[in-house]
Amino acid sequence: MESDGEKDGVFIFHDEDLSEISGLKRGGDFIEVMCGCTSQRYGDAVGRLKVLAGGDLEISCECTPGCQEEKLSPSAFEKHSGREGTRKWKYNVWVIVKGEKVPLSKTVLLKYYNQAQKNGNGSHKGHNGRPYHRDEFIRCTKCNKERRFRLRTKEECRVYHDALADHKWKCANVAHDKASCDDEEERASRKVYRGCSRSPSCKGCTSCVCFGCDICRFSDCSCQTCVDFTMNSNA
């Protein structure tokens, strides 16, 4: 059954909602418009905002002719543009409506994005379109201090995965950094920032908590978690 703005499970917009927005392009399951973000230092960074079926948002940056940044989240695009101050992409990323820059928050383009978030159906994608993993912490068995692990690449995920499996893990085991038990532990106020692309102080959401993907699970690992994932993914 077709409802207002939805047909066969694909979210759509009515022509009157988009008629005044510059650079409009329609696809089978997306719309695309010109967008931008302004930095006081670098000026306007422009790009193409794609609103996908279900409300997910992707931006291909065109700030320079050679820019290769594609499938950025609006938050990542805001950061890439060099925008200073508070990170509030809904207000800082704009589109052109009737020749004027209008924040996304004042357009219909976030209608289905907001609806998806309200229903708890986040995309769980990072700025490059791949599953996103928040920073994690492991406590040293020698000094009892917690150390941060970034999980942006498969290599970083493997380092964390192996460290988590080591019940005698110590600061000195950190191969990519010269960590020492003598180093100060991060302040609690800093630990709350774990890299979620949608909320700096996120305590865990569908955008930054991963329960298994090809970046953080390993076919050459014999732990039960990886074995189960490998078997299920190949089934």
mmCIF file of all heavy atoms in Angstrom, residues 25 29-36 46-62 69-78 89 93-95 104 109-110 113 123-131 198:
data_model
loop_
_atom_site.group_PDB
_atom_site.id
_atom_site.type_symbol
_atom_site.label_atom_id
_atom_site.label_comp_id
_atom_site.label_asym_id
_atom_site.label_seq_id
_atom_site.Cartn_x
_atom_site.Cartn_y
_atom_site.Cartn_z
ATOM 1 N N LYS A 25 18.718 16.088 -8.854
ATOM 2 C CA LYS A 25 18.808 14.927 -9.735
ATOM 3 C C LYS A 25 18.076 13.777 -9.071
ATOM 4 O O LYS A 25 18.250 13.527 -7.881
ATOM 5 C CB LYS A 25 20.273 14.546 -9.970
ATOM 6 C CG LYS A 25 20.459 13.289 -10.806
ATOM 7 C CD LYS A 25 21.940 12.949 -10.945
ATOM 8 C CE LYS A 25 22.132 11.648 -11.714
ATOM 9 N NZ LYS A 25 23.581 11.296 -11.829
ATOM 10 N N ASP A 29 16.147 5.142 -6.564
ATOM 11 C CA ASP A 29 15.946 5.041 -5.114
ATOM 12 C C ASP A 29 16.717 6.110 -4.359
ATOM 13 O O ASP A 29 17.138 5.915 -3.232
ATOM 14 C CB ASP A 29 16.356 3.649 -4.617
ATOM 15 C CG ASP A 29 17.819 3.339 -4.920
ATOM 16 O OD1 ASP A 29 18.462 4.156 -5.614
ATOM 17 O OD2 ASP A 29 18.313 2.304 -4.461
ATOM 18 N N PHE A 30 16.920 7.261 -5.006
ATOM 19 C CA PHE A 30 17.613 8.361 -4.331
ATOM 20 C C PHE A 30 17.282 9.679 -5.017
ATOM 21 O O PHE A 30 16.764 9.704 -6.138
ATOM 22 C CB PHE A 30 19.133 8.139 -4.351
ATOM 23 C CG PHE A 30 19.757 8.338 -5.715
ATOM 24 C CD1 PHE A 30 20.213 9.595 -6.117
ATOM 25 C CD2 PHE A 30 19.882 7.274 -6.591
ATOM 26 C CE1 PHE A 30 20.786 9.784 -7.370
ATOM 27 C CE2 PHE A 30 20.450 7.447 -7.840
ATOM 28 C CZ PHE A 30 20.901 8.712 -8.236
ATOM 29 N N ILE A 31 17.581 10.749 -4.321
ATOM 30 C CA ILE A 31 17.620 12.073 -4.940
ATOM 31 C C ILE A 31 18.968 12.684 -4.608
ATOM 32 O O ILE A 31 19.606 12.312 -3.612
ATOM 33 C CB ILE A 31 16.484 13.001 -4.446
ATOM 34 C CG1 ILE A 31 16.639 13.286 -2.946
ATOM 35 C CG2 ILE A 31 15.122 12.438 -4.768
ATOM 36 C CD1 ILE A 31 15.781 14.449 -2.480
ATOM 37 N N GLU A 32 19.424 13.592 -5.438
ATOM 38 C CA GLU A 32 20.719 14.228 -5.239
ATOM 39 C C GLU A 32 20.588 15.720 -5.484
ATOM 40 O O GLU A 32 19.905 16.146 -6.421
ATOM 41 C CB GLU A 32 21.747 13.617 -6.196
ATOM 42 C CG GLU A 32 23.174 14.060 -5.955
ATOM 43 C CD GLU A 32 24.140 13.354 -6.887
ATOM 44 O OE1 GLU A 32 24.297 13.834 -8.029
ATOM 45 O OE2 GLU A 32 24.712 12.331 -6.483
ATOM 46 N N VAL A 33 21.223 16.518 -4.622
ATOM 47 C CA VAL A 33 21.176 17.964 -4.771
ATOM 48 C C VAL A 33 22.559 18.548 -4.485
ATOM 49 O O VAL A 33 23.414 17.889 -3.879
ATOM 50 C CB VAL A 33 20.158 18.616 -3.794
ATOM 51 C CG1 VAL A 33 18.746 18.120 -4.065
ATOM 52 C CG2 VAL A 33 20.554 18.361 -2.343
ATOM 53 N N MET A 34 22.775 19.765 -4.912
ATOM 54 C CA MET A 34 23.995 20.477 -4.597
ATOM 55 C C MET A 34 23.972 20.866 -3.113
ATOM 56 O O MET A 34 22.923 21.218 -2.571
ATOM 57 C CB MET A 34 24.100 21.737 -5.458
ATOM 58 C CG MET A 34 25.264 22.637 -5.116
ATOM 59 S SD MET A 34 25.224 24.179 -6.053
ATOM 60 C CE MET A 34 26.566 25.084 -5.247
ATOM 61 N N CYS A 35 25.117 20.755 -2.449
ATOM 62 C CA CYS A 35 25.186 21.162 -1.044
ATOM 63 C C CYS A 35 26.529 21.823 -0.779
ATOM 64 O O CYS A 35 27.378 21.919 -1.669
ATOM 65 C CB CYS A 35 25.008 19.952 -0.112
ATOM 66 S SG CYS A 35 26.413 18.813 -0.121
ATOM 67 N N GLY A 36 26.727 22.284 0.441
ATOM 68 C CA GLY A 36 27.997 22.919 0.784
ATOM 69 C C GLY A 36 28.113 23.154 2.276
ATOM 70 O O GLY A 36 27.175 22.935 3.044
ATOM 71 N N VAL A 46 31.919 22.750 -1.628
ATOM 72 C CA VAL A 46 30.671 22.293 -2.224
ATOM 73 C C VAL A 46 30.737 20.802 -2.500
ATOM 74 O O VAL A 46 31.816 20.196 -2.568
ATOM 75 C CB VAL A 46 30.357 23.049 -3.538
ATOM 76 C CG1 VAL A 46 30.156 24.520 -3.251
ATOM 77 C CG2 VAL A 46 31.476 22.841 -4.555
ATOM 78 N N GLY A 47 29.568 20.213 -2.643
ATOM 79 C CA GLY A 47 29.498 18.783 -2.911
ATOM 80 C C GLY A 47 28.135 18.404 -3.421
ATOM 81 O O GLY A 47 27.296 19.265 -3.727
ATOM 82 N N ARG A 48 27.907 17.095 -3.537
ATOM 83 C CA ARG A 48 26.628 16.569 -3.977
ATOM 84 C C ARG A 48 26.066 15.704 -2.862
ATOM 85 O O ARG A 48 26.676 14.708 -2.458
ATOM 86 C CB ARG A 48 26.789 15.732 -5.237
ATOM 87 C CG ARG A 48 27.390 16.472 -6.424
ATOM 88 C CD ARG A 48 26.421 17.447 -7.041
ATOM 89 N NE ARG A 48 25.178 16.799 -7.459
ATOM 90 C CZ ARG A 48 24.154 17.455 -7.998
ATOM 91 N NH1 ARG A 48 24.208 18.767 -8.161
ATOM 92 N NH2 ARG A 48 23.065 16.811 -8.362
ATOM 93 N N LEU A 49 24.915 16.103 -2.326
ATOM 94 C CA LEU A 49 24.248 15.356 -1.263
ATOM 95 C C LEU A 49 23.267 14.373 -1.872
ATOM 96 O O LEU A 49 22.373 14.750 -2.627
ATOM 97 C CB LEU A 49 23.507 16.309 -0.326
ATOM 98 C CG LEU A 49 22.542 15.652 0.671
ATOM 99 C CD1 LEU A 49 23.310 14.805 1.685
ATOM 100 C CD2 LEU A 49 21.702 16.708 1.381
ATOM 101 N N LYS A 50 23.437 13.097 -1.512
ATOM 102 C CA LYS A 50 22.528 12.061 -1.989
ATOM 103 C C LYS A 50 21.694 11.568 -0.815
ATOM 104 O O LYS A 50 22.228 11.156 0.211
ATOM 105 C CB LYS A 50 23.314 10.903 -2.609
ATOM 106 C CG LYS A 50 22.445 9.797 -3.199
ATOM 107 C CD LYS A 50 23.303 8.720 -3.863
ATOM 108 C CE LYS A 50 23.910 9.221 -5.153
ATOM 109 N NZ LYS A 50 24.633 8.130 -5.876
ATOM 110 N N VAL A 51 20.377 11.638 -0.953
ATOM 111 C CA VAL A 51 19.445 11.101 0.041
ATOM 112 C C VAL A 51 18.979 9.752 -0.483
ATOM 113 O O VAL A 51 18.275 9.662 -1.493
ATOM 114 C CB VAL A 51 18.240 12.035 0.253
ATOM 115 C CG1 VAL A 51 17.322 11.469 1.336
ATOM 116 C CG2 VAL A 51 18.703 13.439 0.635
ATOM 117 N N LEU A 52 19.398 8.696 0.199
ATOM 118 C CA LEU A 52 19.111 7.341 -0.247
ATOM 119 C C LEU A 52 17.779 6.840 0.301
ATOM 120 O O LEU A 52 17.203 7.431 1.219
ATOM 121 C CB LEU A 52 20.230 6.400 0.202
ATOM 122 C CG LEU A 52 21.643 6.777 -0.279
ATOM 123 C CD1 LEU A 52 22.672 5.926 0.429
ATOM 124 C CD2 LEU A 52 21.753 6.598 -1.782
ATOM 125 N N ALA A 53 17.317 5.747 -0.257
ATOM 126 C CA ALA A 53 16.085 5.132 0.229
ATOM 127 C C ALA A 53 16.234 4.829 1.713
ATOM 128 O O ALA A 53 17.240 4.285 2.151
ATOM 129 C CB ALA A 53 15.806 3.842 -0.539
ATOM 130 N N GLY A 54 15.250 5.211 2.488
ATOM 131 C CA GLY A 54 15.314 4.991 3.924
ATOM 132 C C GLY A 54 15.854 6.180 4.685
ATOM 133 O O GLY A 54 15.822 6.203 5.907
ATOM 134 N N GLY A 55 16.398 7.177 3.959
ATOM 135 C CA GLY A 55 16.836 8.388 4.633
ATOM 136 C C GLY A 55 18.331 8.534 4.821
ATOM 137 O O GLY A 55 18.790 9.586 5.278
ATOM 138 N N ASP A 56 19.132 7.512 4.514
ATOM 139 C CA ASP A 56 20.580 7.628 4.672
ATOM 140 C C ASP A 56 21.123 8.747 3.793
ATOM 141 O O ASP A 56 20.613 8.994 2.691
ATOM 142 C CB ASP A 56 21.282 6.321 4.305
ATOM 143 C CG ASP A 56 21.014 5.220 5.315
ATOM 144 O OD1 ASP A 56 20.583 5.547 6.428
ATOM 145 O OD2 ASP A 56 21.243 4.044 4.978
ATOM 146 N N LEU A 57 22.182 9.410 4.284
ATOM 147 C CA LEU A 57 22.756 10.561 3.593
ATOM 148 C C LEU A 57 24.212 10.307 3.228
ATOM 149 O O LEU A 57 24.990 9.821 4.042
ATOM 150 C CB LEU A 57 22.677 11.806 4.487
ATOM 151 C CG LEU A 57 21.297 12.152 5.060
ATOM 152 C CD1 LEU A 57 21.408 13.303 6.043
ATOM 153 C CD2 LEU A 57 20.330 12.511 3.936
ATOM 154 N N GLU A 58 24.588 10.643 2.001
ATOM 155 C CA GLU A 58 25.971 10.542 1.539
ATOM 156 C C GLU A 58 26.336 11.799 0.778
ATOM 157 O O GLU A 58 25.515 12.327 0.022
ATOM 158 C CB GLU A 58 26.166 9.339 0.611
ATOM 159 C CG GLU A 58 25.970 7.992 1.250
ATOM 160 C CD GLU A 58 26.158 6.854 0.264
ATOM 161 O OE1 GLU A 58 26.331 7.146 -0.959
ATOM 162 O OE2 GLU A 58 26.126 5.697 0.699
ATOM 163 N N ILE A 59 27.550 12.276 0.963
ATOM 164 C CA ILE A 59 28.011 13.471 0.261
ATOM 165 C C ILE A 59 29.293 13.158 -0.492
ATOM 166 O O ILE A 59 30.245 12.621 0.077
ATOM 167 C CB ILE A 59 28.248 14.644 1.226
ATOM 168 C CG1 ILE A 59 26.936 15.062 1.897
ATOM 169 C CG2 ILE A 59 28.861 15.835 0.485
ATOM 170 C CD1 ILE A 59 27.077 16.188 2.909
ATOM 171 N N SER A 60 29.304 13.489 -1.780
ATOM 172 C CA SER A 60 30.516 13.412 -2.586
ATOM 173 C C SER A 60 31.077 14.823 -2.678
ATOM 174 O O SER A 60 30.411 15.723 -3.200
ATOM 175 C CB SER A 60 30.210 12.859 -3.988
ATOM 176 O OG SER A 60 29.730 11.529 -3.910
ATOM 177 N N CYS A 61 32.279 15.011 -2.160
ATOM 178 C CA CYS A 61 32.847 16.356 -2.073
ATOM 179 C C CYS A 61 33.424 16.794 -3.415
ATOM 180 O O CYS A 61 34.056 16.005 -4.124
ATOM 181 C CB CYS A 61 33.929 16.396 -0.995
ATOM 182 S SG CYS A 61 34.590 18.063 -0.713
ATOM 183 N N GLU A 62 33.210 18.052 -3.739
ATOM 184 C CA GLU A 62 33.762 18.659 -4.947
ATOM 185 C C GLU A 62 34.472 19.956 -4.589
ATOM 186 O O GLU A 62 34.451 20.924 -5.341
ATOM 187 C CB GLU A 62 32.636 18.923 -5.962
ATOM 188 C CG GLU A 62 31.902 17.651 -6.394
ATOM 189 C CD GLU A 62 30.734 17.939 -7.314
ATOM 190 O OE1 GLU A 62 30.381 19.128 -7.482
ATOM 191 O OE2 GLU A 62 30.157 16.979 -7.867
ATOM 192 N N GLU A 69 37.114 12.474 -2.020
ATOM 193 C CA GLU A 69 36.246 12.099 -0.907
ATOM 194 C C GLU A 69 34.823 11.845 -1.401
ATOM 195 O O GLU A 69 34.157 12.740 -1.913
ATOM 196 C CB GLU A 69 36.245 13.191 0.166
ATOM 197 C CG GLU A 69 37.593 13.385 0.859
ATOM 198 C CD GLU A 69 37.949 12.203 1.755
ATOM 199 O OE1 GLU A 69 37.071 11.356 2.016
ATOM 200 O OE2 GLU A 69 39.102 12.124 2.183
ATOM 201 N N GLU A 70 34.370 10.603 -1.233
ATOM 202 C CA GLU A 70 33.021 10.222 -1.634
ATOM 203 C C GLU A 70 32.333 9.489 -0.492
ATOM 204 O O GLU A 70 32.984 8.984 0.416
ATOM 205 C CB GLU A 70 33.059 9.324 -2.879
ATOM 206 C CG GLU A 70 33.646 10.001 -4.109
ATOM 207 C CD GLU A 70 33.626 9.083 -5.312
ATOM 208 O OE1 GLU A 70 33.408 7.872 -5.120
ATOM 209 O OE2 GLU A 70 33.830 9.582 -6.429
ATOM 210 N N LYS A 71 31.033 9.456 -0.544
ATOM 211 C CA LYS A 71 30.218 8.760 0.453
ATOM 212 C C LYS A 71 30.541 9.221 1.870
ATOM 213 O O LYS A 71 30.586 8.430 2.809
ATOM 214 C CB LYS A 71 30.390 7.244 0.331
ATOM 215 C CG LYS A 71 29.850 6.683 -0.973
ATOM 216 C CD LYS A 71 29.918 5.168 -0.999
ATOM 217 C CE LYS A 71 29.310 4.618 -2.280
ATOM 218 N NZ LYS A 71 29.344 3.143 -2.329
ATOM 219 N N LEU A 72 30.792 10.525 2.019
ATOM 220 C CA LEU A 72 31.016 11.100 3.343
ATOM 221 C C LEU A 72 29.683 11.232 4.068
ATOM 222 O O LEU A 72 28.661 11.533 3.455
ATOM 223 C CB LEU A 72 31.649 12.482 3.229
ATOM 224 C CG LEU A 72 33.068 12.590 2.669
ATOM 225 C CD1 LEU A 72 33.411 14.049 2.430
ATOM 226 C CD2 LEU A 72 34.066 11.959 3.611
ATOM 227 N N SER A 73 29.702 11.025 5.372
ATOM 228 C CA SER A 73 28.539 11.395 6.164
ATOM 229 C C SER A 73 28.514 12.924 6.225
ATOM 230 O O SER A 73 29.551 13.569 6.036
ATOM 231 C CB SER A 73 28.643 10.816 7.574
ATOM 232 O OG SER A 73 29.689 11.461 8.291
ATOM 233 N N PRO A 74 27.359 13.543 6.470
ATOM 234 C CA PRO A 74 27.333 15.004 6.600
ATOM 235 C C PRO A 74 28.298 15.507 7.658
ATOM 236 O O PRO A 74 28.934 16.556 7.490
ATOM 237 C CB PRO A 74 25.874 15.297 6.977
ATOM 238 C CG PRO A 74 25.109 14.173 6.375
ATOM 239 C CD PRO A 74 26.004 12.969 6.545
ATOM 240 N N SER A 75 28.449 14.764 8.754
ATOM 241 C CA SER A 75 29.376 15.157 9.807
ATOM 242 C C SER A 75 30.817 15.134 9.306
ATOM 243 O O SER A 75 31.603 16.045 9.581
ATOM 244 C CB SER A 75 29.228 14.226 11.013
ATOM 245 O OG SER A 75 30.148 14.542 12.020
ATOM 246 N N ALA A 76 31.174 14.102 8.547
ATOM 247 C CA ALA A 76 32.520 13.999 8.003
ATOM 248 C C ALA A 76 32.763 15.082 6.959
ATOM 249 O O ALA A 76 33.864 15.633 6.861
ATOM 250 C CB ALA A 76 32.736 12.620 7.397
ATOM 251 N N PHE A 77 31.752 15.397 6.165
ATOM 252 C CA PHE A 77 31.875 16.471 5.178
ATOM 253 C C PHE A 77 32.088 17.813 5.866
ATOM 254 O O PHE A 77 32.910 18.634 5.422
ATOM 255 C CB PHE A 77 30.619 16.519 4.308
ATOM 256 C CG PHE A 77 30.591 17.657 3.324
ATOM 257 C CD1 PHE A 77 31.475 17.693 2.263
ATOM 258 C CD2 PHE A 77 29.674 18.685 3.469
ATOM 259 C CE1 PHE A 77 31.450 18.754 1.349
ATOM 260 C CE2 PHE A 77 29.634 19.741 2.561
ATOM 261 C CZ PHE A 77 30.526 19.773 1.496
ATOM 262 N N GLU A 78 31.360 18.042 6.953
ATOM 263 C CA GLU A 78 31.515 19.274 7.723
ATOM 264 C C GLU A 78 32.956 19.412 8.214
ATOM 265 O O GLU A 78 33.578 20.472 8.107
ATOM 266 C CB GLU A 78 30.555 19.261 8.906
ATOM 267 C CG GLU A 78 30.675 20.469 9.832
ATOM 268 C CD GLU A 78 29.890 20.294 11.116
ATOM 269 O OE1 GLU A 78 29.829 19.153 11.618
ATOM 270 O OE2 GLU A 78 29.356 21.293 11.622
ATOM 271 N N TRP A 89 26.182 19.564 12.037
ATOM 272 C CA TRP A 89 26.079 19.511 10.586
ATOM 273 C C TRP A 89 24.677 19.825 10.070
ATOM 274 O O TRP A 89 24.527 20.344 8.958
ATOM 275 C CB TRP A 89 26.551 18.159 10.070
ATOM 276 C CG TRP A 89 25.774 16.967 10.526
ATOM 277 C CD1 TRP A 89 26.070 16.135 11.552
ATOM 278 C CD2 TRP A 89 24.556 16.454 9.950
ATOM 279 N NE1 TRP A 89 25.134 15.138 11.669
ATOM 280 C CE2 TRP A 89 24.189 15.302 10.694
ATOM 281 C CE3 TRP A 89 23.751 16.844 8.881
ATOM 282 C CZ2 TRP A 89 23.051 14.550 10.408
ATOM 283 C CZ3 TRP A 89 22.606 16.103 8.592
ATOM 284 C CH2 TRP A 89 22.274 14.978 9.351
ATOM 285 N N VAL A 93 25.695 22.408 7.263
ATOM 286 C CA VAL A 93 25.658 21.963 5.871
ATOM 287 C C VAL A 93 24.408 22.545 5.231
ATOM 288 O O VAL A 93 23.318 22.449 5.793
ATOM 289 C CB VAL A 93 25.651 20.421 5.775
ATOM 290 C CG1 VAL A 93 25.522 19.986 4.315
ATOM 291 C CG2 VAL A 93 26.926 19.851 6.385
ATOM 292 N N TRP A 94 24.578 23.171 4.062
ATOM 293 C CA TRP A 94 23.466 23.874 3.448
ATOM 294 C C TRP A 94 23.208 23.412 2.013
ATOM 295 O O TRP A 94 24.052 22.751 1.387
ATOM 296 C CB TRP A 94 23.707 25.386 3.443
ATOM 297 C CG TRP A 94 25.105 25.813 3.058
ATOM 298 C CD1 TRP A 94 26.116 26.178 3.900
ATOM 299 C CD2 TRP A 94 25.646 25.902 1.730
ATOM 300 N NE1 TRP A 94 27.253 26.491 3.189
ATOM 301 C CE2 TRP A 94 26.998 26.331 1.862
ATOM 302 C CE3 TRP A 94 25.143 25.672 0.459
ATOM 303 C CZ2 TRP A 94 27.839 26.537 0.758
ATOM 304 C CZ3 TRP A 94 25.971 25.855 -0.651
ATOM 305 C CH2 TRP A 94 27.292 26.290 -0.494
ATOM 306 N N VAL A 95 22.033 23.727 1.532
ATOM 307 C CA VAL A 95 21.683 23.562 0.120
ATOM 308 C C VAL A 95 21.211 24.924 -0.384
ATOM 309 O O VAL A 95 20.948 25.838 0.410
ATOM 310 C CB VAL A 95 20.584 22.495 -0.078
ATOM 311 C CG1 VAL A 95 21.096 21.126 0.345
ATOM 312 C CG2 VAL A 95 19.315 22.854 0.688
ATOM 313 N N LEU A 104 20.336 22.379 6.187
ATOM 314 C CA LEU A 104 19.562 21.158 5.989
ATOM 315 C C LEU A 104 18.411 21.043 6.967
ATOM 316 O O LEU A 104 17.351 20.500 6.648
ATOM 317 C CB LEU A 104 20.474 19.930 6.131
ATOM 318 C CG LEU A 104 21.451 19.650 4.996
ATOM 319 C CD1 LEU A 104 22.284 18.427 5.329
ATOM 320 C CD2 LEU A 104 20.710 19.447 3.680
ATOM 321 N N LEU A 109 14.751 17.624 3.339
ATOM 322 C CA LEU A 109 15.695 16.562 2.995
ATOM 323 C C LEU A 109 16.033 15.646 4.163
ATOM 324 O O LEU A 109 16.500 14.522 3.971
ATOM 325 C CB LEU A 109 16.984 17.175 2.443
ATOM 326 C CG LEU A 109 16.820 17.964 1.129
ATOM 327 C CD1 LEU A 109 18.113 18.675 0.767
ATOM 328 C CD2 LEU A 109 16.379 17.039 0.004
ATOM 329 N N LEU A 110 15.813 16.100 5.389
ATOM 330 C CA LEU A 110 16.097 15.274 6.562
ATOM 331 C C LEU A 110 14.871 14.519 7.064
ATOM 332 O O LEU A 110 14.948 13.832 8.078
ATOM 333 C CB LEU A 110 16.647 16.146 7.706
ATOM 334 C CG LEU A 110 17.976 16.864 7.448
ATOM 335 C CD1 LEU A 110 18.437 17.575 8.718
ATOM 336 C CD2 LEU A 110 19.040 15.895 6.982
ATOM 337 N N TYR A 113 15.552 10.805 7.114
ATOM 338 C CA TYR A 113 16.716 10.565 7.975
ATOM 339 C C TYR A 113 16.296 10.636 9.434
ATOM 340 O O TYR A 113 16.610 9.756 10.237
ATOM 341 C CB TYR A 113 17.799 11.608 7.695
ATOM 342 C CG TYR A 113 18.958 11.556 8.662
ATOM 343 C CD1 TYR A 113 20.015 10.690 8.465
ATOM 344 C CD2 TYR A 113 18.974 12.372 9.797
ATOM 345 C CE1 TYR A 113 21.077 10.624 9.357
ATOM 346 C CE2 TYR A 113 20.021 12.314 10.695
ATOM 347 C CZ TYR A 113 21.068 11.441 10.472
ATOM 348 O OH TYR A 113 22.114 11.381 11.379
ATOM 349 N N SER A 123 22.139 3.819 9.893
ATOM 350 C CA SER A 123 22.787 3.157 8.770
ATOM 351 C C SER A 123 24.018 2.375 9.182
ATOM 352 O O SER A 123 24.458 1.486 8.465
ATOM 353 C CB SER A 123 23.177 4.198 7.718
ATOM 354 O OG SER A 123 24.148 5.083 8.255
ATOM 355 N N HIS A 124 24.614 2.700 10.307
ATOM 356 C CA HIS A 124 25.832 2.058 10.771
ATOM 357 C C HIS A 124 26.920 2.110 9.699
ATOM 358 O O HIS A 124 27.614 1.142 9.423
ATOM 359 C CB HIS A 124 25.587 0.604 11.179
ATOM 360 C CG HIS A 124 26.764 -0.030 11.845
ATOM 361 N ND1 HIS A 124 27.302 0.464 12.996
ATOM 362 C CD2 HIS A 124 27.522 -1.103 11.512
ATOM 363 C CE1 HIS A 124 28.345 -0.278 13.347
ATOM 364 N NE2 HIS A 124 28.495 -1.237 12.459
ATOM 365 N N LYS A 125 27.060 3.254 9.063
ATOM 366 C CA LYS A 125 28.092 3.433 8.058
ATOM 367 C C LYS A 125 28.995 4.587 8.450
ATOM 368 O O LYS A 125 28.553 5.582 9.000
ATOM 369 C CB LYS A 125 27.466 3.735 6.687
ATOM 370 C CG LYS A 125 26.608 2.605 6.145
ATOM 371 C CD LYS A 125 27.443 1.432 5.671
ATOM 372 C CE LYS A 125 26.554 0.385 5.023
ATOM 373 N NZ LYS A 125 27.315 -0.754 4.497
ATOM 374 N N GLY A 126 30.266 4.436 8.135
ATOM 375 C CA GLY A 126 31.215 5.507 8.370
ATOM 376 C C GLY A 126 31.267 6.439 7.185
ATOM 377 O O GLY A 126 30.494 6.323 6.236
ATOM 378 N N HIS A 127 32.244 7.382 7.201
ATOM 379 C CA HIS A 127 32.319 8.389 6.144
ATOM 380 C C HIS A 127 32.666 7.801 4.788
ATOM 381 O O HIS A 127 32.402 8.397 3.759
ATOM 382 C CB HIS A 127 33.341 9.465 6.518
ATOM 383 C CG HIS A 127 34.759 9.022 6.380
ATOM 384 N ND1 HIS A 127 35.416 8.348 7.393
ATOM 385 C CD2 HIS A 127 35.635 9.137 5.358
ATOM 386 C CE1 HIS A 127 36.648 8.083 7.000
ATOM 387 N NE2 HIS A 127 36.802 8.540 5.769
ATOM 388 N N ASN A 128 33.272 6.606 4.759
ATOM 389 C CA ASN A 128 33.626 5.975 3.493
ATOM 390 C C ASN A 128 32.623 4.913 3.070
ATOM 391 O O ASN A 128 32.864 4.146 2.147
ATOM 392 C CB ASN A 128 35.025 5.352 3.591
ATOM 393 C CG ASN A 128 35.132 4.345 4.719
ATOM 394 O OD1 ASN A 128 34.152 4.059 5.390
ATOM 395 N ND2 ASN A 128 36.313 3.818 4.931
ATOM 396 N N GLY A 129 31.469 4.859 3.737
ATOM 397 C CA GLY A 129 30.432 3.913 3.381
ATOM 398 C C GLY A 129 30.613 2.540 4.002
ATOM 399 O O GLY A 129 29.787 1.656 3.799
ATOM 400 N N ARG A 130 31.665 2.333 4.754
ATOM 401 C CA ARG A 130 31.912 1.038 5.384
ATOM 402 C C ARG A 130 31.434 1.074 6.833
ATOM 403 O O ARG A 130 31.253 2.147 7.402
ATOM 404 C CB ARG A 130 33.407 0.710 5.325
ATOM 405 C CG ARG A 130 33.975 0.721 3.919
ATOM 406 C CD ARG A 130 35.453 0.431 3.910
ATOM 407 N NE ARG A 130 35.742 -0.943 4.278
ATOM 408 C CZ ARG A 130 36.981 -1.407 4.415
ATOM 409 N NH1 ARG A 130 38.018 -0.613 4.242
ATOM 410 N NH2 ARG A 130 37.185 -2.677 4.738
ATOM 411 N N PRO A 131 31.215 -0.084 7.445
ATOM 412 C CA PRO A 131 30.766 -0.116 8.843
ATOM 413 C C PRO A 131 31.690 0.688 9.740
ATOM 414 O O PRO A 131 32.914 0.668 9.570
ATOM 415 C CB PRO A 131 30.800 -1.611 9.183
ATOM 416 C CG PRO A 131 30.563 -2.281 7.878
ATOM 417 C CD PRO A 131 31.289 -1.433 6.864
ATOM 418 N N ARG A 198 27.798 10.816 14.773
ATOM 419 C CA ARG A 198 26.561 11.586 14.915
ATOM 420 C C ARG A 198 26.427 12.296 16.247
ATOM 421 O O ARG A 198 25.713 13.283 16.351
ATOM 422 C CB ARG A 198 25.352 10.663 14.694
ATOM 423 C CG ARG A 198 25.240 10.242 13.233
ATOM 424 C CD ARG A 198 24.057 9.362 12.976
ATOM 425 N NE ARG A 198 23.962 9.063 11.555
ATOM 426 C CZ ARG A 198 23.217 8.115 11.038
ATOM 427 N NH1 ARG A 198 22.475 7.374 11.833
ATOM 428 N NH2 ARG A 198 23.183 7.905 9.742
#
